[in-house]
Amino acid sequence: MIKSFTESKIIKKANLLKKLDMYPFFRAIEASDGSTVTINGQKQVMIGSNNYLGLTHHQEVKEAAIKAIEKFGTGCTGSRFLNGNLSIHEELEEKLARYLGHEDALVFSTGMQTNLGTLSAIAGPKDCMLFDSENHASILDSARLSFATTFKYKHNNMESLEEVLEGNMSRFKKMIIVADGVFSMTGDILKLKEVTELAEKYNAYVYVDDAHGIGVMGDLGRGTMNHFGLEDRVDFNMGTFSKSFASIGGVMSGKKESIDFIRHSARSFMFSASMPPSAVATVSACLDVIAKDDTIHKKLWKNVKFMREGFKNIGFYTYNSQTPIIPIFIGDDIKAMEVTNFLKENGVFATPVITPAVPKGEALLRTSYMATHNMKDLEYVLEVFKKAKKALDIPSIRH
Ligand SMILES: Cc1ncc(COP(=O)(O)O)c(C=O)c1O
C-alpha cells in the first residue's frame, strides 16, 4: 500500500521546478487594483486573469457587495433547496434570464458546479455527449458523473462533429453537443450556427459553456448566443461569475421546464451551500454597470485589437484568437517556464500552459486583456515580450 505522495510524478516535477526557481504556480498576490498586482513587493502588469471587464475594483460594484453583507451577512449557511434561498438569488435569476434572452435561469455557487450539476442531471447511462476536444476540464468531469457515453470531435471541426452524430444517432436516447462558447486556451469562438444546424439535423441538444463569452461577447456582453443571435437554438447555456462578473458563481439558463428540472435534480446545486450575498450583489451590480456604461466594452475591444496586432507585428503565433484571450505559442514546456520567469523579472504576470494541459510540444502562454488596462502598461507588455522573443528565441510559427 502506498503511504506517501512525495514520489508521485507531479510532486517530483513541482519540486524540481521550485529548486530551479521556475515554479510558476500559486504566486501570492499581496495587493491588486485589477490590472496590476504586487508580488514580493514588485508591481506587475496582470495579463493572466479573467477579469475581462475589470469590474472587481469598480466602486459601485464594491459598494453593492458591502451593502449586501450588511443586510444579509457574509454567508447563507445552507443550500438554496433548504435554508439558503435569498430573495436576491431569485431577483438575480430573473435579471440574468432577461439579460441572456432565455426563459429562466438558475444560479450555482461556482461555474464548475454549474457544469457538474447540470450535465449529470440531464444525461444518464443511456445518453451520449459529444465534446469539442478543447472543452474545459469541468465538462470532462461532468461526463464521469453522468455515466453517459462520451465522444470527442476535433476542435471546432463540423465534419468531425457530424461524423460522430451520424455514427451514433440510433444508439442513444439523447445526444447532447457540449462545447465552450469561447475556448479558454485558444481564444477562438465556437461555430455555433453550424453546431445548431447539425443539432437540428440529428435531433441533438446544444449545451454551451460560455464561461469566457458571458460579459464579453454580443450586445452588452450577453454572450456567444447573442453574438450569433441564436438564443432560441441553444438548449442549455452556462456562464460563470468568476471572470467578467468579478465574483464567484455560475448560471445555467434555458427553457423554464428544463431549468425547473435542473433545480430539482442537480446534486451540486441541491447539496452545496448557495452563493453568498456579497457575490449575488456583485453580479447584479456588474449587470447594472455594463447596462449604463458602454465605454467598458469599447475599451476592452480597443485593448484586445491593440494587443493582437502588437503580438503579430513582433512575430508571435497567436492561434486563431478573436477574443480577449490571446495565446502565444511557445512549444517546449521548459521554454514556457523560462519565458514566464523572464516576464516576471520584468514586471509582467502571465501564466504558462504546459503538458498535460496541452499535448507535448504545444506549450503556450495564455495572455488576456481587460477594459481597465491602460495604454502605457500594454505598450510596456509588448516591449517586454519583444525582448523575451529575442533573448529566448521564441518561435514565430507553430511547429
Ligand atoms: C470554460 C470554463 N468552464 C467552466 C469553468 C469553471 O468556472 P468557475 O471557475 O467559475 O468554477 C471555467 C473556469 O476556468 C472555464 O474556463
Side-chain angles (χ1 to χ4, degrees):
M1 190 210 261
I2 298 170
K3 287 187 88 177
S4 160
F5 293 102
T6 53
E7 287 305 302
S8 71
K9 236 180 172 178
I10 189 122
I11 294 301
K12 275 185 176 167
K13 201 168 166 185
N15 287 341
L16 176 66
L17 287 172
K18 283 179 191 167
K19 217 164 143 187
L20 297 171
D21 201 19
M22 278 171 63
Y23 184 70
F25 308 114
F26 298 100
R27 283 173 268 178
I29 294 169
E30 292 144 11
S32 165
D33 67 7
S35 59
T36 65
V37 294
T38 305
I39 297 175
N40 287 331
Q42 181 208 22
K43 198 165 174 186
Q44 301 183 11
V45 183
M46 170 54 86
I47 57 159
S49 95
N50 302 298
N51 190 7
Y52 305 120
L53 305 181
L55 292 177
T56 50
H57 290 68
H58 192 286
Q59 198 52 34
E60 276 177 50
V61 174
K62 290 194 289 187
E63 278 166 16
I66 293 164
K67 258 196 195 153
I69 289 183
E70 277 162 2
K71 184 163 179 192
F72 292 102
T74 52
C76 296
T77 71
S79 130
R80 294 279 302 283
F81 202 54
L82 301 170
N83 62 305
N85 190 35
L86 303 179
S87 55
I88 54 173
H89 285 120
E90 295 188 355
E91 284 157 21
L92 178 62
E93 287 171 343
E94 279 170 29
K95 205 166 174 174
L96 282 163
R98 276 198 306 277
Y99 174 69
L100 295 165
H102 268 174
E103 277 177 21
D104 204 357
L106 184 68
V107 298
F108 288 68
S109 300
T110 69
M112 175 130 182
Q113 280 177 264
T114 314
N115 278 336
L116 295 179
T118 306
L119 286 168
S120 60
I122 62 173
K126 292 185 180 158
D127 305 319
C128 81
M129 295 201 247
L130 295 84
F131 291 170
D132 184 288
S133 61
E134 284 195 12
N135 276 356
H136 187 254
S138 57
I139 294 178
L140 307 184
D141 290 355
S142 308
R144 295 182 186 145
L145 284 178
S146 73
F147 299 106
T149 304
T150 57
F151 299 99
K152 258 192 199 175
Y153 62 88
K154 287 186 200 146
H155 175 53
N156 235 352
N157 182 322
M158 296 303 114
E159 278 146 35
S160 171
L161 172 59
E162 181 153 23
E163 217 172 275
V164 189
L165 282 164
E166 202 168 21
N168 293 289
M169 62 187 295
S170 54
R171 293 178 52 211
F172 297 96
K173 227 172 125 187
K174 238 188 263 140
M175 294 201 291
I176 309 170
I177 305 169
V178 188
D180 292 5
V182 168
F183 291 93
S184 58
M185 292 298 154
T186 41
D188 53 341
I189 305 167
L190 172 67
K191 290 183 183 157
L192 185 58
K193 186 168 177 293
E194 291 83 344
V195 167
T196 56
E197 283 164 4
L198 285 174
E200 203 155 298
K201 184 169 170 190
Y202 291 97
N203 200 22
Y205 287 95
V206 176
Y207 183 112
V208 177
D209 173 340
D210 212 19
H212 298 271
I214 192 170
V216 170
M217 302 294 296
D219 168 50
L220 294 178
R222 293 174 209 270
T224 305
M225 292 189 298
N226 178 275
H227 173 75
F228 289 106
L230 289 169
E231 290 89 339
D232 57 339
R233 308 279 288 275
V234 172
D235 302 288
F236 302 95
N237 191 71
M238 176 270 188
T240 55
F241 307 140
S242 58
K243 306 182 195 303
S244 290
F245 292 145
S247 186
I248 192 157
V251 57
M252 175 49 54
S253 69
K255 287 214 163 63
K256 254 197 180 354
E257 54 166 55
S258 344
I259 299 302
D260 207 33
F261 171 74
I262 296 162
R263 188 179 282 120
H264 291 91
S265 44
R267 294 171 68 82
S268 66
F269 174 80
M270 294 165 72
F271 301 107
S272 188
S274 58
M275 264 178 92
S278 54
V280 177
T282 296
V283 178
S284 185
C286 286
L287 291 169
D288 295 343
V289 166
I290 57 181
K292 65 183 179 202
D293 182 0
D294 67 349
T295 64
I296 297 173
H297 283 100
K298 283 189 184 139
K299 280 191 212 145
L300 172 69
W301 289 107
K302 182 170 165 245
N303 285 347
V304 170
K305 186 167 180 272
F306 178 77
M307 292 310 285
R308 200 190 297 140
E309 284 171 3
F311 281 126
K312 278 191 183 153
N313 289 341
I314 300 171
F316 286 107
Y317 178 78
T318 55
Y319 297 70
N320 186 28
S321 166
Q322 296 152 275
T323 64
I325 301 165
I326 308 182
I328 309 288
F329 176 77
I330 307 289
D332 180 61
D333 278 359
I334 298 291
K335 189 171 279 191
M337 305 286 189
E338 285 169 352
V339 178
T340 309
N341 244 7
F342 184 95
L343 296 177
K344 181 185 83 180
E345 280 160 14
N346 286 279
V348 177
F349 185 116
T351 45
V353 184
I354 56 170
T355 47
V358 285
K360 201 167 185 283
E362 294 271 335
L364 57 89
L365 231 77
R366 182 190 184 276
T367 77
S368 54
Y369 300 92
M370 305 178 201
T372 46
H373 273 128
N374 64 45
M375 264 305 141
K376 193 167 141 262
D377 283 346
L378 294 181
E379 278 165 2
Y380 177 72
V381 168
L382 289 175
E383 208 178 288
V384 173
F385 265 91
K386 198 170 176 178
K387 283 189 198 149
K389 188 165 190 333
K390 206 164 166 201
L392 298 165
D393 193 22
I394 303 172
S396 301
I397 48 165
R398 188 177 171 196
H399 309 298

